[in-house]
Amino acid sequence: MKTIYTDDHRLHHAACELIGGKMMPAFECPQRADIVLSRVRQVGLGPVIAPTRMGISAAAKVHDPKFVGFLESAWALWDAEHGDGSDALPMTWPARSLRQIEPETIDGKLGFFSFDAGCGLTKTSFTAIASGVEVAMTGVDLMLAGEKAAFSLCRPPGHHATSDQMGGYCYLNNAAIAAQVLTEAGRRVAILDVDYHHGNGTQAIFYHRGDVFFTSLHGHPTQEYPYFLGYDDETGAGEGEGANLNLPLRWGSAWDAYGPALDVACDAIAKFGADMLVVSLGLDTFEQDPISKFKLKSDDYLRMGERIAKLGLPTLFIFEGGYAVEALGVNTANVLVGFES
Ligand code: SP5
Ligand code: ZN
């Protein structure tokens, strides 16, 4: 299968994130995509191509245009206010008792358009974010041209981003944008989210819709980030009732629990009658992931790819999380090689 990739992802390199009571070097870093690209080449997965420079108008199909405009302008506003070269980072959020009104000043806007402090913005972040959308959209074009599979090596990731909030290292929701455009082109799309963290943004974007199926395997929200969504009683609402399936698993889950849950997700995708699959491909389910607590082994990712392939659907893989950088190339390529075997 083809891989879509551009070096532009390196333009997003946040200095730090707030985690475990400390400002730590950001786990979501450029080395992640570099090591995946190098493994994709090493295993001979297929051609690596550059994204088509089509712009990001597709983002406004699932995101509030005001939010996209905020992302584009945030650094300049931040720099004018602070001007010390530090990353733009939110620290105050419109929580339950507070009003939901967009402030005029950048520190207020950053809180208004985010849900955590894991999403720093540098001077060049937006170029990387926009290129990531083009990487996803070029994957969409390949699928619409009849490819059986493609791998959009997006960075930064996207599945936590809601219509109007960044969070969890995510800014624009690459998988949701791709699924929306594929749906508008007449495909019946299912999204399978195998990132360790619940794809809260993708779920929220499609929750009231019956035309896109969303299913996710992830750390149980009673224990794991993003904490406030991802329970198994979230089945969709209105027209979307029945088109959302969450399969939360407890800390410590290994393939013996993960494999059967993946079967349940795949059976539901088949039952929905999907004719196109978008996979939010996070590899942070790995046993050595530094911020996660599942126990998948490198070989399990071959099984994961094989199981997804058994659906027999044209499949667009979109890169999401995974922070055990040394093994990230092998684990990612294992899913794609397993799929093709
Ligand atoms: C795309 C993606 O994978 N985003 C994940 C964002 C996770 N951010 C918060 C992680 C909190 C982890 N807490 C455990 C720390 C262990 N030292
Ligand atoms: Zn994740």
Side-chain angles (χ1 to χ4, degrees):
M1 75 178 80
K2 289 183 179 136
T3 295
I4 308 103
Y5 171 85
T6 165
D7 285 339
D8 283 2
H9 75 85
R10 295 195 192 131
L11 296 170
H12 175 61
H13 191 178
C16 51
E17 64 176 290
L18 176 59
I19 189 164
K22 290 179 279 292
M23 291 308 289
M24 302 274 285
F27 283 96
E28 202 292 295
C29 59
Q31 290 84 336
R32 299 178 57 248
D34 292 343
I35 200 155
V36 171
L37 178 71
S38 115
R39 184 65 181 174
V40 157
R41 290 209 160 108
Q42 200 180 348
V43 301
L45 185 72
V48 175
I49 65 166
T52 309
R53 294 307 183 182
M54 61 187 83
I56 62 157
S57 56
K61 295 175 186 293
V62 303
H63 289 287
D64 182 341
K66 270 198 243 159
F67 171 62
V68 180
F70 157 77
L71 288 175
E72 190 162 14
S73 63
W75 169 263
L77 293 175
W78 172 269
D79 193 41
E81 176 76 20
H82 297 274
D84 62 357
S86 58
D87 293 358
L89 208 56
M91 56 181 179
T92 309
W93 292 274
R96 274 189 291 280
S97 68
L98 305 176
R99 294 183 69 185
Q100 314 291 316
I101 300 169
E102 183 185 344
E104 286 176 14
T105 53
I106 184 60
D107 284 271
K109 285 183 195 294
L110 281 163
F112 184 74
F113 286 118
S114 69
F115 63 87
D116 74 4
C119 40
L121 285 158
T122 72
K123 183 175 185 160
T124 53
S125 287
F126 187 75
T127 306
I129 294 162
S131 283
V133 171
E134 290 176 327
V135 167
M137 283 297 301
T138 303
V140 166
D141 285 348
L142 290 176
M143 300 313 293
L144 292 177
E147 294 278 335
K148 289 214 163 61
F151 176 38
S152 289
L153 215 183
C154 294
R155 204 195 139 258
H159 75 147
H160 292 305
T162 71
S163 65
D164 60 1
Q165 286 177 310
M166 57 182 184
Y169 322 148
C170 300
Y171 303 84
L172 294 174
N173 195 318
N174 305 309
I177 295 165
Q180 175 63 26
V181 174
L182 288 165
T183 302
E184 286 179 15
R187 302 305 194 276
R188 189 162 169 85
V189 179
I191 304 169
L192 170 63
D193 190 323
V194 297
D195 187 280
Y196 172 75
H197 304 98
H198 178 246
N200 61 291
T202 315
Q203 170 171 313
I205 284 166
F206 295 111
Y207 202 65
H208 294 264
R209 289 177 42 182
D211 56 345
V212 176
F213 186 78
F214 175 75
T215 182
S216 175
L217 291 83
H218 50 267
H220 201 288
T222 53
Q223 296 178 309
E224 193 50 80
Y225 180 95
Y227 304 114
F228 307 110
L229 210 62
Y231 290 86
D232 60 8
D233 64 355
E234 297 157 12
T235 55
E239 306 255 295
E241 184 58 55
N244 196 87
L245 175 64
N246 282 328
L247 297 158
L249 297 165
R250 308 289 297 183
W251 278 356
S253 293
W255 187 256
D256 63 336
Y258 197 96
L262 183 58
D263 285 337
V264 171
C266 289
D267 289 345
I269 289 166
K271 197 171 162 219
F272 175 74
D275 60 19
M276 179 73 67
L277 182 64
V278 172
V279 177
S280 267
L281 183 57
L283 293 302
D284 36 12
T285 48
F286 185 50
E287 58 181 347
Q288 285 163 32
D289 194 274
I291 63 168
S292 310
K293 293 185 189 288
F294 282 0
K295 298 277 169 232
L296 266 57
K297 297 178 183 305
S298 289
D299 278 354
D300 295 332
Y301 294 102
L302 291 165
R303 309 288 94 75
M304 183 184 288
E306 288 162 8
R307 181 62 189 90
I308 294 169
K310 264 178 64 184
L311 282 165
L313 294 173
T315 301
L316 174 58
F317 291 92
I318 297 196
F319 192 51
E320 302 279 4
Y323 310 98
V325 176
E326 260 178 58
L328 188 57
V330 169
N331 293 345
T332 306
N334 275 4
V335 176
L336 305 172
V337 167
F339 179 90
E340 293 212 309
S341 65

